[in-house]
């Protein structure tokens, strides 16, 4: 057991730090652009889900149900290999961004939909009475009010996306997980898997834990604020 965590093993990991940093950079790159794509898709399909038009609601449900009920690994492999075999390969990182963005976007759309539907109908009616168009109503009145509600679950989805970047390993990616696996199975570095996996896990923890804690804090504050509002309203009514 001591060999797993020996100074010699750690020195091997330190000597390969450039590779680990490259893997971390690719993981962050995939996560950032995947999050941006997920936010765009989440907003678009979330608005579809709250639309009065049946066709838009139907498109929303097809997208959400299909994506949420199929594995992200399957979606990633389909996007990467299907395009590669058809002669339109887009590369590992772009494929990862696309797959993770589409996958997380389905969950983001439900977050947006729930947030919009939580706003009292009187807010919609008031906006229309003032002559706002649908997009003005959403931009100026509804979406700003939903932000405090949707931020905690949205941050949770961001954390899930960051962890799901590990799926790039299955298509031979150069993300942090893939670099770690290549390191521990390498001819010159094999055997130092204890320190390598500890380092990899620590990096993910350092990135994800603060975000998870932030989401929990926001959610707790929201619940306290709602409780205080209800208590104030009850006191005034009495």
């Amino acid at each position: 057991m001591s060999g797993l965590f020996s100074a010699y093993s750690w020195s091997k990991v330190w000597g390969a730090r450039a590779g680990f940093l490259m893997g971390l950079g690719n993981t962050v790159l995939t996560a950032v652009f995947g999050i941006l794509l997920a936010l765009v898709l989440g907003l678009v399909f979330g608005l579809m889900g709250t639309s009065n038009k049946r066709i838009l609601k139907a498109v929303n449900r097809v997208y959400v149900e299909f994506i949420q009920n199929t594995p992200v690994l399957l979606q990633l492999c389909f996007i990467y290999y299907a395009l590669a075999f058809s002669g339109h390969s887009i590369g590992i990182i772009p494929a990862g961004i696309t797959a993770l963005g589409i996958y997380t976007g389905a969950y983001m759309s439900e977050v947006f939909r729930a947030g919009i539907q939580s706003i009292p109908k009187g807010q919609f009616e008031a906006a229309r009475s003032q002559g706002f168009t649908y997009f003005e109503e959403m931009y100026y009145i509804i979406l700003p009010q939903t932000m405090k509600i949707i931020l905690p679950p949205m941050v949770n989805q961001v954390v899930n996306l960051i962890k799901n970047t590990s799926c790039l390993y299955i298509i031979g990616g150069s993300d942090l997980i893939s670099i770690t696996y290549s390191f521990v199975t390498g001819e010159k570095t094999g055997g130092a898997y204890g320190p390598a996996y500890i380092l990899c896990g620590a990096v993910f923890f350092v990135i994800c834990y603060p975000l998870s804690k932030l989401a929990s804090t926001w959610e707790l504050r929201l619940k306290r604020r709602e409780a205080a509002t209800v208590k104030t309203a009850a006191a005034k009514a009495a």
Side-chain angles (χ1 to χ4, degrees):
M1 193 70 178
S2 59
L4 296 177
F5 307 105
S6 66
Y8 177 69
S9 295
W10 281 104
S11 67
K12 282 186 175 183
V13 173
W14 175 252
R17 61 189 180 279
F20 283 98
L21 287 173
M22 182 192 71
L24 175 60
N26 287 332
T27 291
V28 171
L29 177 68
T30 304
V32 168
F33 284 98
I35 289 166
L36 292 176
L37 177 58
L39 287 172
V40 172
L41 292 175
L43 177 58
V44 171
F45 283 93
L47 291 174
M48 285 184 178
T50 59
S51 173
N52 293 324
K53 297 182 178 180
R54 290 184 178 180
I55 183 64
L56 295 180
K57 282 188 175 182
V59 172
N60 166 271
R61 294 324 304 167
V62 169
Y63 168 66
V64 170
E65 297 298 339
F66 180 79
I67 296 299
Q68 288 189 356
N69 291 289
T70 53
V72 64
L73 275 175
L74 175 64
Q75 297 167 26
L76 175 61
C77 290
F78 177 81
I79 289 174
Y80 180 70
Y81 290 114
L83 289 176
F85 292 149
S86 65
H88 300 88
S89 177
I90 60 173
I92 293 173
I93 299 299
I97 292 171
T98 303
L100 294 177
I102 291 174
Y103 181 77
T104 308
Y107 290 90
M108 287 287 194
S109 70
E110 290 294 271
V111 172
F112 276 105
R113 183 181 63 82
I116 292 171
Q117 291 180 338
S118 69
I119 303 301
K121 291 184 179 179
Q123 296 290 321
F124 294 88
E125 295 170 356
R128 290 169 193 148
S129 68
Q130 295 299 315
F132 283 90
T133 64
Y134 175 78
F135 291 104
E136 289 175 338
E137 170 189 315
M138 287 294 171
Y139 184 79
Y140 292 107
I141 308 296
I142 306 304
L143 289 178
Q145 295 184 70
T146 66
M147 292 309 297
K148 63 180 181 180
I149 301 171
I150 68 177
L151 277 176
M154 186 181 292
V155 173
N156 285 329
Q157 293 305 323
V158 168
V159 172
N160 288 334
L161 186 148
I162 293 172
K163 291 186 291 185
N164 283 336
T165 58
S166 59
C167 293
L168 267 67
Y169 159 74
I170 202 68
I171 57 173
S174 54
D175 60 296
L176 184 57
I177 292 289
S178 301
I179 293 296
T180 302
Y181 180 77
S182 297
F183 174 84
V184 301
T185 57
E187 183 177 346
K188 296 181 179 180
T189 56
Y193 47 88
Y197 282 128
I198 288 174
L199 174 64
C200 182
V203 170
F204 272 101
F205 180 83
V206 168
I207 295 173
C208 295
Y209 178 75
L211 292 174
S212 299
K213 196 67 176 177
L214 179 62
S216 300
T217 302
W218 268 337
E219 189 171 5
L220 183 60
R221 286 181 179 177
L222 178 60
K223 289 180 179 179
R224 287 177 177 174
R225 189 177 302 172
E226 288 178 349
T229 302
V230 171
K231 186 177 180 180
T232 302
K236 290 182 178 179

